[in-house]
Amino acid sequence: MGRLCSVFLILFLHVTLIASSCQGRKPKEQPAKKHRTAFFIFGDSFLDVGNNNFINTTTLDQANFWPYGETYFKFPTGRFSDGRLLPDFIAKYARLPLIPPFLQPGLHRYYNGVNFASAGAGALVETFQGDVIGLKTQLRYFKKVEKRLRRKLGNDEGKMTVSKAVYLFSIGSNDYMSPFLTNSSTLNTYTYSTFVGMVTGNLTSIIKEIYKRGGRKFAFINLPNLGCLPAMRVIESRNNGSCLEEASFLATMHNKVLKNLLSRLEKRLKGFKYSLFDLNTNLRQRMLHPSKYGFKDGEAACCGTGQFRGVYSCGGKRTVKEFELCESPTDYVFWDSFHLTERAYRQLADKMWSATNHSHDVGPFCVRKLFQIQ
Ligand SMILES: *[C@@H]1O[C@H](CO)[C@@H](O)[C@H](O)[C@H]1NC(C)=O
Ligand SMILES: *[C@@H]1O[C@H](CO)[C@@H](O)[C@H](O)[C@H]1NC(C)=O
Ligand SMILES: *[C@@H]1O[C@H](CO)[C@@H](O)[C@H](O)[C@H]1NC(C)=O
Ligand SMILES: *[C@@H]1O[C@H](CO)[C@@H](O)[C@H](O)[C@H]1NC(C)=O
Ligand SMILES: *[C@@H]1O[C@H](CO)[C@@H](O)[C@H](O)[C@H]1NC(C)=O
């Protein structure tokens, strides 16, 4: 059934493409409708531009207070950084406006895309359940948007928007970190490989659902070395600041599975195109050799308290109230104990957008190509 639908959709799109290429011959006063390349964003706090401002959650999953947003926006937007995030830079390079959060009140214009990402979200329903918009719910919101697009733009143009759009994902970190951050028994219940299989299995279902609805162009970032995030290094005081090996191990495992599953999807799903950015390697290089990239500190956060400012207290509105704030976020890779500074995000976004293929940073497509191809 699903396959039949997809075949039909492909045939259908083919016909529309031919039809629209004829529209150039129409008289000037009736210019051909321009199909934009929309940008839809799914996942967690690396991409959330403010959805969690509008849900009933805790300040652990929110960043709508000072000093979040202090450099670029000059006010807290809900982004977990001093300034802009990856999707903000990608949108800029794609000549799109900033892509708004789905839950922003009064949002009606969807044709440039929408951001569904929610800080704390995972691929698994159980991950921080009740405090976040999990990936499954994000998909449900996307389906609403897709219906509204077809209603507003007409069936053909709505479908065209969906099929030409780029879909960006950052997901998994919270699934793997939550067992260490809460007292869940997940890691006693499942083997690591079963657990990784569940996370990537749920991600795969979401990708397939979007594909079924016409989505073809997907962009992913892999997971950072989770155990070496400032927050993870201070969880176990007996570790004295060393990386939390189990969390790093899960991230490494996930990244291998993700790489393979995308390559399999590309073979199985006709027209499926993707970009996988090696965020892990790129971030690791900046953590190890900060000065090579213009930073002064690659390990500690700009905002927080304790060793590496790893205690997640930036802004003083969470469990721990005291926090220090560095003078110049541009000197730091990490903004708070989990998230990056605008400067780090910008450098990573630049690579995602157009790194050359011999560097193995991003592939098979760079994100720029995804926006360009039809
Ligand atoms: C928000 O969550 C709290 C705690 O779970 C609950 O007591 C409250 O009723 C919720 N508020 C709304 C508007 O859902
Ligand atoms: C987990 O449980 C232990 C012992 O019951 C407690 O000391 C610790 O603070 C708990 N950690 C979290 C994150 O709730
Ligand atoms: C998705 O996650 C659930 C747990 O939330 C798990 O039971 C299920 O097997 C996973 N699905 C796949 C396809 O791995
Ligand atoms: C803990 O780390 C600090 C700073 O790296 C070091 O000076 C100290 O000797 C370490 N303590 C132990 C017990 O390893
Ligand atoms: C990728 O590499 C091949 C062979 O080295 C080269 O021909 C091609 O232009 C490169 N593409 C990009 C986008 O850099």
Side-chain angles (χ1 to χ4, degrees), residues 78-283:
R79 286 169 176 78
F80 286 74
S81 184
D82 57 304
R84 287 164 289 180
L85 307 182
L86 296 172
D88 299 320
F89 289 111
I90 302 290
K92 178 177 178 242
Y93 302 153
R95 296 177 195 282
L96 291 166
L98 287 177
I99 305 300
F102 173 72
L103 294 182
Q104 180 177 292
L107 181 66
H108 295 302
R109 300 205 310 185
Y110 297 118
Y111 49 78
N112 288 324
V114 188
N115 187 323
F116 303 99
S118 165
L124 302 181
V125 174
E126 304 91 301
T127 298
F128 298 126
Q129 190 166 17
D131 288 339
V132 305
I133 310 162
L135 199 57
K136 275 210 171 89
T137 307
Q138 294 182 27
L139 175 71
R140 217 172 61 230
Y141 290 163
F142 168 70
K143 287 176 177 174
K144 282 189 188 180
V145 165
E146 185 242 354
K147 279 204 192 92
R148 287 180 208 166
L149 275 170
R150 279 192 283 138
R151 209 166 49 226
K152 279 220 162 144
L153 302 175
N155 205 45
D156 295 3
E157 200 169 333
K159 283 192 167 176
M160 181 69 90
T161 302
V162 166
S163 73
K164 283 188 60 178
V166 172
Y167 299 84
L168 173 65
F169 285 82
S170 163
I171 201 80
S173 293
N174 291 305
D175 298 299
Y176 301 119
M177 289 193 297
S178 64
F180 301 100
L181 298 172
T182 63
N183 267 339
S184 93
S185 58
T186 308
L187 294 178
N188 303 324
T189 312
Y190 302 108
T191 64
Y192 280 18
S193 83
T194 305
F195 190 50
V196 171
M198 278 165 57
V199 172
T200 52
N202 278 271
L203 172 58
T204 305
S205 333
I206 302 283
I207 298 169
K208 283 181 172 168
E209 283 284 319
I210 294 173
Y211 177 87
K212 226 193 251 179
R213 297 195 169 241
R216 290 295 178 268
K217 304 190 292 190
F218 293 82
F220 302 87
I221 60 177
N222 67 6
L223 303 186
N225 185 354
L226 293 175
C228 297
L229 301 182
M232 302 300 275
R233 294 174 70 166
V234 302
I235 285 183
E236 300 247 12
S237 50
R238 65 185 154 83
N239 281 359
N240 195 25
S242 58
C243 297
L244 192 62
E245 294 302 334
E246 296 95 325
S248 298
F249 183 73
L250 282 165
T252 305
M253 235 172 144
H254 174 95
N255 287 346
K256 278 190 192 137
V257 174
L258 177 67
K259 196 170 180 207
N260 291 334
L261 87 82
L262 290 175
S263 147
R264 273 204 314 279
L265 285 177
E266 185 187 36
K267 292 192 184 88
R268 268 187 215 158
L269 305 178
K270 193 168 163 13
F272 178 87
K273 295 185 182 65
Y274 74 96
S275 166
L276 173 58
F277 175 60
D278 189 357
L279 178 113
N280 177 35
T281 302
N282 280 281
L283 181 56

